């Protein structure tokens, strides 16, 4: 493997006398902001100040330190705020710090960073995979580096995520992430701890989420949006939060990454204070379901780092909506936080090395801990195919997900006894009692072989995409309560609030009703909308106004719909969204059905190309069999020939509807008989 120092030999050509002149041409001079001390009586004033354009850095008893434009001084005075200017034009100080020379590290320009990341990937092809997540609004690359022993492969290893610079002027966050990349690569094959982690983890590092803000030396992205207010968990009611949840390219690309790659631990680095901010930030109600897990890891990071204080973000700092850490925990059950690394957002370059060294051991410890707790794999018991499933942890009653690629799941949990419940649409739910031993760094392994079941709910709401903020003093329910099968545990969808949910599979337009919205209590209603894009546009299909309301996609001309949005009218207690299923359902037999007048037998219920059916000779009648997939959707029909007692069903050419690998059911039309299951494996 080529050593990382070769990178700096290549970069050496950049470091000439004109390097800083070129850098100053690339990096924009920021607008003036002054650092002020503002006296406050109540932390609830902070959100109002933010809405005026005040950037809050630190909160202390009776005051906050904030950055503001001098144009706001008059407004603060008129509103009765007392304040003191501590540092004039602090934004220019950050700008000059960027260019400060140091032998212990330096900041790179955006161009240097992009070039360096490509060199890193080229020089370390076995353990580095560089991904372009997308382009910013000003067409700059957003790069993610995956470091693992087989980086090009999605292995069944726990994944951990670090990012920095979601706020463009907080450049020390970029620096710590970049230094971590250098440290891992320089020490792989030399440091046993680093080698073990790279060989047994998938470490994702995104040093520069907000390249536009980085270049422009501002907090916001290229459209003046605060990206840490743009994520979809309790979005809205903030200044600079964007036109809609995930309206910004940068946030959208991270949502795409989260969906395809579940993480055990999510860490986003900020600056302006020195503190570990845990979920939740959107509510001061001390209610995070798995607080004992988050607090344990926070304490461990603090002890190995800078003794950062830690706590619920809304309490130890201030209340915000639409943050990335709230989204990652709320959406996917990832242990998530934002860590404020330094009181100065962009300290001199001489501070990069010591700041990284303060955090290095804690970062390695997080990578280590990501592999302990509970892990396993979810797969189809008949085909062995991996399944994307909900993993519910009890007694805390919160969920994460198995990987859609390999079916593996990883949850950091402390020693103890837990019930793990796995739900997958079209399969019988599975429960396992799991005991994590008390020994150090113990791990419990439990795999789930899911059995296809025609009586199971074949489709339900799988994940929360986004939701509008709620009044937390009156609503302490979680959007995830609307997921899975109906269980009378609901999300309180308040008046004029909305939620967007992704179904486990596309809802297909079949004969009659296609899906059902369940209300657990009350008489509130909700406007129901559908789309095949998680951002819309949305088509209204009707109103949910009963304990169960059925909807037919044909009424709006849809062949399918993957996403459902509900807008509350009154207070609607959303229990679940499921594929519509008649009350009678499909009873299931493995290989044959027999009644007093008729019997149907499958010669073999595991088939590749042909399915052979045997039955009594038909005289003067015609029988029709319907074929259903695992979602309960009718995919074909078979007309049994008269004067015959057998039929060979060609899976590839029959009526030009080839059946893909999977589980299917045959039911005799017009007879109240169980369905017969067969499996296609090629």
């Amino acid at each position: 493997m080529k050593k990382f120092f070769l990178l700096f030999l290549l970069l050496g050509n950049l470091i000439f006398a004109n390097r800083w002149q070129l850098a100053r041409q690339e990096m924009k001079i920021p607008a003036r902001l002054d650092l002020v001390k503002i006296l406050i009586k109540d932390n609830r004033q902070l959100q109002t100040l933010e809405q005026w354009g005040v950037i809050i850095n630190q909160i202390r008893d009776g005051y906050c330190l904030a950055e503001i434009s001098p144009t706001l001084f008059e407004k603060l005075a008129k509103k009765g705020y007392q304040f003191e200017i501590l540092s004039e034009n602090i934004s220019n100080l950050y700008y000059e710090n960027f260019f400060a020379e140091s032998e212990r590290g330096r900041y790179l320009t955006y161009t240097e960073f992009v070039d360096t990341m490509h060199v890193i990937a080229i020089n370390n092809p076995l353990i580095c995979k560089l991904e372009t997540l997308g382009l910013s609004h000003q067409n700059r690359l957003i790069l993610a580096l995956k470091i693992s022993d087989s980086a090009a492969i999605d292995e069944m290893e726990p994944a951990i995520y670090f990012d920095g610079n979601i706020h463009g002027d907080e450049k020390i966050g970029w620096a710590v992430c970049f230094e971590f990349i250098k440290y891992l690569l320089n020490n792989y094959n030399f440091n046993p701890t680093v080698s073990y982690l790279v060989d047994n983890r998938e470490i994702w590092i995104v040093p520069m989420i907000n390249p536009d803000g980085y270049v422009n030396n501002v907090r916001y992205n290229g459209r003046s949006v605060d990206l840490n207010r743009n994520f979809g968990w309790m979005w809205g009611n903030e200044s600079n939060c964007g036109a809609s949840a995930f309206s910004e390219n940068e946030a959208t690309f991270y949502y795409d990454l989260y969906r395809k790659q579940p993480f055990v631990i999510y860490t986003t680095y900020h600056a302006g204070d020195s503190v570990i901010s845990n979920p939740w930030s959107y509510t001061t109600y001390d209610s995070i379901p798995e607080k004992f897990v988050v607090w344990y890891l926070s304490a461990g990071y603090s002890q190995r780092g800078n003794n950062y204080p830690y706590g619920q973000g809304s309490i130890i700092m201030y209340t915000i909506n639409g943050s990335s850490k709230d989204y990652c925990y709320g959406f996917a059950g990832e242990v998530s936080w934002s860590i404020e690394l330094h009181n100065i957002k962009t300290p001199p370059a001489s501070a990069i090395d010591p700041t990284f060294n303060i955090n290095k051991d804690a970062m390695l410890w997080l990578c280590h801990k990501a592999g302990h707790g509970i892990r396993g794999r979810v797969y189809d018991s008949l085909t062995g195919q991996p399944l994307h499933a909900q993993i519910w942890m009890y007694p805390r009653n919160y969920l994460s997900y198995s990987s859609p690629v390999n079916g593996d799941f990883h949850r950091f949990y402390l020693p103890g006894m837990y019930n793990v419940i796995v739900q997958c649409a079209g399969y019988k739910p599975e429960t396992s009692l799991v005991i994590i031993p008390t020994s150090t760094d113990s791990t419990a392994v439990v795999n789930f072989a899911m059995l296809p079941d025609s009586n199971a709910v074949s489709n339900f709401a799988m994940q929360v995409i986004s939701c509008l903020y709620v009044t937390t003093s009156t609503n302490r329910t979680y959007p995830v309560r609307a997921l899975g099968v109906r269980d009378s545990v609901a999300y309180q969808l308040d008046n004029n609030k909305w939620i967007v949910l992704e179904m486990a599979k596309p809802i297909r337009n079949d004969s009659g009703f296609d899906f059902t919205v369940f209300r657990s209590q009350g008489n509130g209603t909700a406007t129901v909308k559908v789309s095949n894009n998680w951002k819309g546009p949305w088509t209204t299909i009707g109103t949910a106004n009963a304990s169960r309301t059925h909807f037919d996609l044909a009424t709006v001309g849809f062949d399918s719909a993957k996403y459902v949005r509900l807008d509350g009218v009154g207070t609607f207690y959303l229990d679940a969204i499921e594929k519509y299923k008649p009350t009678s359902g499909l009873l299931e037999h493995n290989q044959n059905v027999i009644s007093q007048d008729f019997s149907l037998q499958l010669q073999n219920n595991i088939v590749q190309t042909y399915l052979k059916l045997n039955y009594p000779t038909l005289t003067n009648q015609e029988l029709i069999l319907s074929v259903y997939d695992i979602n309960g959707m009718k995919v074909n029909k078979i007309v049994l020939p008269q004067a015959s007692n057998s039929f060979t069903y060609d899976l590839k050419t029959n009526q030009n509807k080839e059946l893909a690998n999977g589980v299917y059911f045959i039911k005799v039309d017009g007879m109240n008989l169980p369905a017969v299951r067969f499996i296609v494996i090629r």
Side-chain angles (χ1 to χ4, degrees), residues 279-280 288-290 325-336 398:
W280 303 112
I288 184 169
E290 296 163 314
K325 71 169 179 290
D326 279 6
Y327 189 80
C328 288
Y329 181 72
F331 160 79
E334 299 168 359
V335 178
S336 307
Y398 216 75

Side-chain angles (χ1 to χ4, degrees), residues 469-542:
Y469 73 97
V470 299
T471 303
T472 57
S473 60
T474 58
N475 187 350
R476 293 175 176 173
T477 63
Y478 297 129
V480 296
R481 301 303 177 226
L483 300 178
V485 298
R486 60 190 184 277
D487 57 6
S488 298
V489 180
Y491 174 55
Q492 181 181 317
L493 184 61
D494 293 328
N495 189 49
N496 294 324
K497 305 298 183 180
W498 51 259
I499 185 172
V500 175
L501 300 169
E502 179 180 11
M503 302 300 291
K505 305 162 187 175
I507 305 168
R508 301 295 183 185
N509 179 31
D510 205 350
S511 58
F513 295 119
D514 300 308
F515 70 98
T516 303
V517 175
F518 292 88
R519 183 184 69 191
S520 66
Q521 59 177 298
N523 55 10
T525 65
T527 302
V528 181
K529 304 174 182 179
V530 293
S531 179
N532 278 304
N533 187 308
W534 59 277
K535 288 188 173 184
W538 298 98
T539 299
T540 299
I541 193 171

Side-chain angles (χ1 to χ4, degrees), residues 282-492:
Y282 79 92
T283 176
T284 56
Y285 176 52
D286 188 1
S287 61
I288 184 169
E290 296 163 314
K291 178 177 177 178
F292 72 109
V293 172
V294 179
W295 256 241
Y296 171 84
L297 291 175
S298 297
Y301 193 104
S302 178
Q303 292 164 8
R304 291 160 179 80
N306 198 27
N307 291 317
Y308 295 115
Y310 58 90
Q312 184 165 316
S314 59
I315 298 172
I316 200 170
M317 296 188 72
Y318 57 103
T319 304
I320 62 173
N321 294 317
S323 71
S324 64
K325 71 169 179 290
D326 279 6
Y327 189 80
C328 288
Y329 181 72
F331 160 79
E334 299 168 359
V335 178
S336 307
W337 43 50
S338 56
I339 299 179
E340 304 275 341
L341 291 167
H342 201 288
N343 290 339
I344 302 175
K345 292 181 177 179
T346 303
S350 59
I352 292 176
D353 194 46
T355 303
F356 170 67
N357 286 333
I358 286 171
N359 288 273
K360 176 191 67 181
D361 289 344
M363 298 171 81
L364 293 171
W365 183 75
L366 286 185
C367 293
H368 178 73
K369 284 296 180 182
H372 298 283
I374 299 175
R375 64 180 173 88
R377 184 170 181 263
V378 184
Y379 58 94
D380 186 304
S381 63
L382 302 177
T383 66
Q385 294 298 307
L387 296 175
H388 187 214
Q390 296 175 340
I391 315 294
W392 291 88
M393 299 293 299
Y394 286 83
R396 300 295 175 172
N397 192 17
Y398 216 75
L399 84 165
S400 61
Y401 294 89
S402 59
S403 165
V405 177
N406 295 317
D408 59 311
F409 66 94
H410 309 265
R411 290 290 298 272
F412 174 78
Y413 252 69
L414 297 176
M417 183 182 299
Y418 307 95
N419 274 315
V420 182
I421 299 177
V422 176
Q423 290 192 55
C424 189
Y427 292 83
K428 180 182 178 181
E430 296 290 341
T431 301
S432 180
L433 179 64
V434 178
I435 299 175
I436 302 177
T438 56
S439 58
T440 303
D441 293 334
S442 55
T443 302
V445 180
V446 54
N447 296 314
F448 291 88
M450 307 294 287
L451 179 66
D453 186 353
S454 62
N455 291 310
V457 177
S458 61
N459 199 3
F460 51 64
M462 185 71 169
Q463 291 184 290
V464 177
I465 300 296
S466 57
C467 58
L468 191 61
Y469 73 97
V470 299
T471 303
T472 57
S473 60
T474 58
N475 187 350
R476 293 175 176 173
T477 63
Y478 297 129
V480 296
R481 301 303 177 226
L483 300 178
V485 298
R486 60 190 184 277
D487 57 6
S488 298
V489 180
Y491 174 55
Q492 181 181 317

Side-chain angles (χ1 to χ4, degrees), residues 216-278:
N216 296 325
N217 284 295
V218 295
R219 176 183 182 87
Y220 309 107
N221 77 339
R223 300 204 304 176
S224 299
V225 171
D226 187 332
L227 295 177
N228 203 39
R229 308 292 186 273
N230 191 238
F231 286 78
W233 189 269
M234 300 296 169
W235 173 86
N237 197 34
E238 294 279 358
S239 61
N240 303 101
C241 64
S244 60
F246 294 110
S247 62
E248 304 309 295
N249 288 352
E250 298 88 346
T252 295
F253 299 144
Y254 282 89
Y255 166 76
D256 291 338
L257 176 61
Y258 301 154
R259 287 187 64 201
K260 72 178 183 179
Q261 174 60 72
F263 295 103
V264 182
I265 298 173
Y266 166 92
T267 301
T268 178
Y269 286 120
H270 293 244
D273 202 347
S274 297
V275 66
I276 300 174
S277 173
N278 298 328

